[in-house]
Amino acid sequence: MIVVAGEALIDLVPSPQGPSEKGQLPALLPRRGGGPYNTAVALGRLGSSIAFCSRVSTDAFGEALLEGLRADGVDTRLVQRGDEPTTLAVADISPDGSAGYGFYVEGTADRLFALPPALPDGVRALSLGTCSLVLEPGASAYEALLRREAGRGVCTVLDPNIRAGLIPDADAYRARFRSWLPYLTLLKLSEEDAGWLAGAGDGPGRPGGARDAVAAVARGWLGYGPAAIVITRGGDGLTVLTPGGGEVSVPGSRIEVVDTIGAGDTVNAALLHWLDAHDALSREGVAALGPGDWRDILGFAARAAAVTCSRAGAEPPYAADLV
């Protein structure tokens, strides 16, 4: 079984119809979301054995979030409940389909996540990321979960999925991120997030020297623990960096982008699903992958993410969509 741990929230997404009359505010449509939540749903749709570990509100939004997990075959026995409200994220969709977010997180249920007892022996992988590793006191509990399960030999995957507006002290968070590296099997992150964590600003997805500098910093992170680092570059595809100077890239799949909500989360799920299906869901398994294996896994992830980008909101593909 794979366990995905982290926040579940409601994305408020602008209606594609826009305001019904000039001067009116756009209608906002509630959609299930949160990076870890989307990753769990995508894994369920791909057919993986998957459980979600979080703290979810007992309000109507929380019930809808749990209903969505169960509908896609996600085990919810590790979900804690609380009567605090559900976190809300207001999405702003740019003309190119990329999304920015504003968050309403004060006093919400997922912030009060508590470290659970040891995960079941059948758990082979733990995936974490996004707001859950920023917002206290839950962030410390998720961090403790990462360290504990890595110590038990569980394959660990992290997608930082930086939301800079939620991080009050960037340098402190960067130091905390570096402290997680010895506990990671696989680090996956966008080029923009890699640049931010490297201290290169808010938007390093540029060609030339800036891109090379970010890749060089990311390669340095390999020396602290991860068996591989996957960097996503939007429409330009994906790259994996491995110890010893290994590097494999695949192009993105060309599609008409509706929006990019959930694309990175779908990549997380596709990576985990492929590794699980090929009995490589371990540090030894990831380390043993050759260039051909990485081309296959990255190509699979690129196709899965393209399907998500072709749909409104975080709607990852089912296994049948990728045949």
Side-chain angles (χ1 to χ4, degrees):
M1 176 181 284
I2 298 168
V3 172
V4 178
E7 78 278 357
L9 53 78
I10 294 295
D11 287 325
L12 298 177
V13 182
S15 168
Q17 283 75 39
S20 57
E21 296 181 14
K22 185 176 180 179
Q24 285 190 338
L25 294 173
L28 295 175
L29 306 177
R31 296 287 185 264
R32 303 176 182 99
Y37 182 91
N38 295 338
T39 297
V41 167
L43 277 162
R45 291 184 178 190
L46 291 174
S48 290
S49 176
I50 171 68
F52 188 58
C53 182
S54 183
R55 192 170 189 274
V56 175
S57 177
T58 55
D59 65 14
F61 283 144
E63 292 300 328
L65 287 163
L66 287 184
E67 180 183 338
L69 291 170
R70 295 173 182 136
D72 284 311
V74 179
D75 190 324
T76 60
R77 287 176 293 174
L78 297 175
V79 173
Q80 304 164 20
R81 304 301 301 276
D83 59 6
E84 305 81 12
T86 297
T87 295
L88 303 178
V90 180
D92 178 20
I93 310 301
S94 299
D96 65 357
S98 60
Y101 296 91
F103 292 90
Y104 293 84
V105 299
E106 292 302 321
T108 52
D110 56 270
R111 294 190 68 164
L112 300 179
F113 174 80
L115 178 67
L119 300 181
D121 290 338
V123 172
R124 301 180 62 201
L126 171 68
S127 173
L128 304 102
T130 318
C131 308
S132 55
L133 287 166
V134 175
L135 299 171
E136 296 288 6
S140 291
Y142 284 113
E143 180 177 322
L145 179 63
L146 167 65
R147 295 173 186 265
R148 187 187 73 192
E149 296 305 314
R152 294 202 308 137
V154 172
C155 176
T156 55
V157 179
L158 173 67
D159 175 13
N161 203 5
I162 298 299
R163 303 297 185 222
L166 293 177
I167 301 174
D169 187 334
D171 288 339
Y173 183 83
R174 289 172 178 131
R176 193 174 191 180
F177 162 76
R178 291 191 293 272
S179 78
W180 299 329
L181 294 174
Y183 301 93
L184 301 182
T185 304
L186 176 64
L187 172 63
K188 173 266 170 185
L189 71 175
S190 71
E191 188 173 40
E192 290 76 16
D193 289 348
W196 189 93
L197 288 163
D202 295 327
R206 301 183 296 269
R211 171 170 284 181
D212 293 342
V214 168
V217 173
R219 185 169 292 285
W221 294 333
L222 286 168
Y224 292 92
I229 297 176
V230 173
I231 300 176
T232 62
R233 296 194 167 106
D236 291 338
L238 301 89
T239 295
V240 64
L241 306 177
T242 56
E247 181 173 333
V248 175
S249 296
V250 301
S253 297
R254 300 302 173 188
I255 46 90
E256 183 176 345
V257 175
V258 175
D259 65 51
T260 62
I261 297 174
D265 311 323
T266 300
V267 170
N268 297 338
L271 296 174
L272 284 161
H273 180 76
W274 193 100
L275 291 171
D276 192 22
H278 292 80
D279 198 27
L281 203 55
S282 66
R283 176 170 292 276
E284 296 76 18
V286 173
L289 297 174
D293 299 315
W294 279 114
R295 278 188 285 273
D296 288 344
I297 186 174
L298 296 181
F300 178 69
R303 294 195 303 275
V307 173
T308 301
C309 290
S310 71
R311 301 169 173 174
E315 287 295 337
Y318 291 89
D321 296 324
L322 302 175
V323 174

